[in-house]
């Protein structure tokens, strides 16, 4: 069973939901329980604690957060993978995403999956007819449209910027005052999990030019 956008649950509802999952697992010998399930969202479940409570507080000995066996993150596409993805559209319609177009998409998105697909969709469904040639400037037009339109993905990330723990990490990066990155700091890892920033060349930076 896949539970999508589980991290959007309000505080009390989230705690109740996680406790039910944990109770179902613990008592699976007494009552039938799902064989496997996945919680799908923008965050690792470890980040939910920061949303619910301060680290010094407790939820009791049977923590509802102790339910995860494996955590997986969907990585960004490489430039070659973007080309292969777009080639499926070419095969179906004959409309070509040239190498300069793919390079432009990769530059703006750094391979972020939602952005890669959204830009292509905007170009072929809104900007052009299916038989027209796709040019690098169409990518730039699509990027500006996505930003100004504030589609769900962009709007959701903008909401995250209102969180104090996100501001604490992102603001110094914007101002050029970031002191670096600590793998032991949950707030750093939280922002990286959200995909707002990336750690490259020994420093934090916006994950892509669009952000």
């Amino acid at each position: 069973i896949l539970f999508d956008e589980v991290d959007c649950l309000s505080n009390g509802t989230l705690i109740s939901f996680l406790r039910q999952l944990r109770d179902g697992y613990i008592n699976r010998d007494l009552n039938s329980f799902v064989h496997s399930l996945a919680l799908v969202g923008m965050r690792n479940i470890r980040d939910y604690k920061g949303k619910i409570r301060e680290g010094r507080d407790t939820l009791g000995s049977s923590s509802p957060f102790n339910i995860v066996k494996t955590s997986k993150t969907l990585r960004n596409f490489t430039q070659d993978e973007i080309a292969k993805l777009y080639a499926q559209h070419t095969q179906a319609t004959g409309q070509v995403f040239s190498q300069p177009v793919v390079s432009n998409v990769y530059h703006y998105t750094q391979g972020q999956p939602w952005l890669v697909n959204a830009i292509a969709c905007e170009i072929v469904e809104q900007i052009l007819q299916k038989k027209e040639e796709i040019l690098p400037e169409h990518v730039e037009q699509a990027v500006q449209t996505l930003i100004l339109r504030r589609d769900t993905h962009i709007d959701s990330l903008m909401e995250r910027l209102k969180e104090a723990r996100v501001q604490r990490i992102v603001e110094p990066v914007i101002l050029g005052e970031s002191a670096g990155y600590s793998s032991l700091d949950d707030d750093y890892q939280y922002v990286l999990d959200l995909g707002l920033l990336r750690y490259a060349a020994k420093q934090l930076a916006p994950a892509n030019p669009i952000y």
Side-chain angles (χ1 to χ4, degrees):
I1 298 179
L2 305 178
F3 291 98
D4 194 14
E5 297 188 355
V6 68
D7 51 334
C8 294
L9 292 174
S10 60
N11 294 1
T13 306
L14 176 59
I15 287 293
S16 175
F17 174 72
L18 294 177
R19 279 186 168 145
Q20 288 178 66
L21 294 184
R22 179 156 178 76
D23 182 69
Y25 175 76
I26 292 175
N27 296 300
R28 64 191 182 280
D29 290 337
L30 302 176
N31 299 293
S32 298
F33 189 67
V34 61
H35 175 70
S36 64
L37 57 88
L39 307 182
V40 184
M42 293 178 66
R43 291 178 281 181
N44 189 306
I45 196 170
R46 67 168 176 264
D47 297 322
Y48 300 169
K49 288 185 181 181
K51 178 181 178 183
I52 300 298
R53 61 181 171 86
E54 297 289 342
R56 62 179 178 274
D57 295 335
T58 180
L59 291 170
S61 58
S62 298
S63 170
F65 297 101
N66 186 25
I67 64 172
V68 175
K69 180 178 180 181
T70 304
S71 178
K72 295 184 180 295
T73 300
L74 180 64
R75 66 168 175 80
N76 288 350
F77 296 137
T78 65
Q79 187 164 322
D80 286 343
E81 286 170 338
I82 295 174
K84 291 177 181 178
L85 176 67
Y86 288 174
Q88 297 177 38
H89 173 79
T90 301
Q91 185 176 9
T93 67
Q95 190 175 35
V96 177
F97 283 86
S98 66
Q99 187 55 48
V101 170
V102 172
S103 296
N104 215 19
V105 171
Y106 183 74
H107 163 72
Y108 279 109
T109 68
Q110 293 299 297
Q112 204 286 336
W114 187 90
L115 293 174
V116 168
N117 283 279
I119 288 174
C121 183
E122 181 68 21
I123 292 173
V124 302
E125 293 186 358
Q126 303 298 329
I127 298 176
L128 299 178
Q129 300 297 319
K130 285 191 175 181
K131 295 300 181 182
E132 293 183 89
E133 181 182 3
I134 301 173
L135 303 174
E137 50 262 39
H138 294 137
V139 175
E140 297 172 10
Q141 182 180 345
V143 165
Q144 292 304 312
T145 299
L146 293 178
I147 293 172
L148 295 175
R149 195 168 60 206
R150 285 180 57 174
D151 285 351
T152 303
H153 175 82
I154 304 294
D155 203 44
S156 179
L157 289 177
M158 290 180 68
E159 282 297 311
R160 298 294 187 268
L161 293 176
K162 298 177 182 179
E163 298 179 20
R165 63 191 303 210
V166 173
Q167 292 177 355
R168 184 177 79 84
I169 306 301
V170 173
E171 185 172 316
V173 173
I174 294 174
L175 297 176
E177 300 173 354
S178 177
Y181 161 69
S182 171
S183 60
L184 300 179
D185 190 319
D186 284 342
D187 289 350
Y188 276 106
Q189 195 59 52
Y190 175 53
V191 173
L192 292 177
D193 285 347
L194 287 175
L196 283 167
L197 301 179
R198 61 190 174 102
Y199 188 64
K202 298 183 178 181
Q203 64 180 359
L204 287 168
N208 56 65
I210 295 176
Y211 293 172

